[in-house]
Amino acid sequence: MKTFYGRANPTTGALDWVEESEEYDYHQEIARSCYADMLHDHDRNKKYYEGIRAAVTRVKARGEKVIVLDIGTGTGLLSMMAVTAGADFCYAVEVFKPMAEAAQCIVEKNGFSDKIKIINKHSTDVTVGPDGDMQVKANVLITELFDTELIGEGALPSYEHAHQNLMQDRCEAVPHRATVYAQLVESELLWSWAQLQPVEVEGARLVPPPAVGRCAGAHAVCDIQLSQVSPASFTPLGPVCTMFTVDFSKPVSSAFQAHSSQFVAQSSGRAQVVLSWWDLDMDPSGSIVCTMAPSWTYQEPKMWRDHWMQSVYFLPVESQVTEGEELSLMVCHDDYSLWYSLQPPHQEDICTEAPPSRPCCTCQAHLVWTRPRFGELNDRRRTESYISALRSVLREDSVCLSVSDGSLLPVFAHMLGAKKVRLKLGASINLLSQRAFYAHMNAKEAEMCRVMLASPVQISVLMGEPYFSTSLLPWHSLFFWYCRTALAGLLRPNASILPRAASLHMVAVEFQDLWRIRAPCGTCEGFDVTPMDEMVQRSLDFHESREAEPHPLWEYPCRALTQSTAAMTFDFTQCLPQHNVFSILNVLFREGRCHGVALWMEYHLTDDITVSAGLTGPINEQGDCEWSRHRKQGVYFFGSPWEISGDGRAAVSYSFTFEPSLGDIRMDFTVTPFI
């Protein structure tokens, strides 16, 4: 049965009523879940298999039957490994019903249904006894409940409950323990994601108010592919520290805990950022280790791993440290998250004083701006482009209207001499109306920024970055065009529009690893998991799941197989067209394995100033790409890769259709190899 749903359209700004199947959200969840990513992680699978074999062997050596509890079984892969290793029986718990059903099919398909029982419950609801879900308590606990922060998926409460209710006293756990590591660093790049930096405009230095600088920022962890952050981008102020360990074979507590590590500063600098990751010891001896460390910490080839990345934590305040100084780094955690602070050294008992509280934003900026957005606002070259463009269109009598979320353009326009500056109400209006948002603005100037469209004064400059907090895909920022069209009656005949235009760019790419999140698994470590592939494909066949999806491509290396090409151009000096806009182009691309197309917007502020939200430089002869860290690009994955071999040339036909009534862009790609 189909039902009408009200859905906010990020491009048009309208509330669209669409008819969708009742299973729409269910299919979206599966299609975007990236289950295959974990199964493509051969290193993870191999280490789990080795750890399971070792645990089964230890229990059998005690003369006991091996009863396994597998919490969060997913496809049932780890349970099948356990049975293959000699386990007598496995209870495999999976709370997500579609996944539990797929696991049941996989277990049956591989011939393990007599030794594996799938339990579709949360582990805390599982019962033990003659009439329970489990006949007896288990003596081997297998889990994969971890996220980038280790404990963010509720691992500690789940372990705590399992040890109290579902496990025997002398149980074995795989993994056996986890160890959390951290390193204190100074990094202008990473710190730019946490704090707003001063800006120079016409010789004036605009400085954020003390309240912003003192704010501890958002609490949520910043999880990234730290392997893609060059060591040249930060200065280590201390060694990699072991912060704490969790022994999963013993009772686990989910209560608040604090741990500290003392060290001597190895260089002078500003203590700003903590880089953190964790390892899993699959056995008690620590001989089977699955590490999450970034690739620049070890000599082995980099492993693909996207479901577990690394964590960046921003200290509540920046502080100066001196080489040779004794320091103490503290980490606190509750049942779901971690936070770090720099403490006086040699505290005898970190619990004698109140531990650092969880960071909380008090300045509003961290509630309005994401971390990539902070980086975008702190990008000096980008800021200079906007200031130069504004300078070229502003006059003494200019009346400006800004259409963007959390933008500093109104402040820049005022500093450049605009007569009046107005804002379209958005999520950041409270920030820009605060008297102290920039020390250079007095109360009268701040009041000017609060004035909205109450008066009939005609607008001479309509400006936007454009940036909107609701945008996910690159073309969602075309909301600026819809606003420009709605405001046409308020614009002077010779009004300047900034940006004047935008173009949607594309390049065919061969991903180093990102393709794995969409690639079927087939056989994983010798087990047939095709029922999961089929489940995901059914969900991908739903119409919205076939669209492009947002990814920060600076974290995912790829090779360009074509040159960057402008697929469509949108003229903001004119109102929206009433009809669909079509674009067809043919492109040649070089030899390679094409996994899909990367898409991004470029904004033409003036005739000679352009800002890109995608590539930050030209593609070299090898096809290497450098991507903006500020915005996510769109990726349209092909159902299966295109193999281009031989002379490495093929004609690719790209078809784009922009539908103004829907605010959507439809794409179609076909390839014709040259003969």
Side-chain angles (χ1 to χ4, degrees), residues 390-399 416-419 461:
L390 281 170
R391 189 184 292 118
S392 71
V393 299
L394 288 176
R395 304 292 180 267
E396 290 184 358
D397 63 343
S398 291
V399 177
L416 291 168
K419 181 180 179 180
V461 178

Side-chain angles (χ1 to χ4, degrees), residues 311-340:
S311 301
V312 174
Y313 297 90
F314 303 100
L315 293 178
V317 293
E318 178 185 42
S319 60
Q320 188 70 33
V321 302
T322 305
E323 183 179 356
E325 180 182 356
E326 295 183 349
L327 300 173
S328 178
L329 185 64
M330 177 182 285
V331 61
C332 300
H333 72 80
D334 52 19
D335 51 349
Y336 280 91
S337 58
L338 283 68
W339 60 96
Y340 284 84

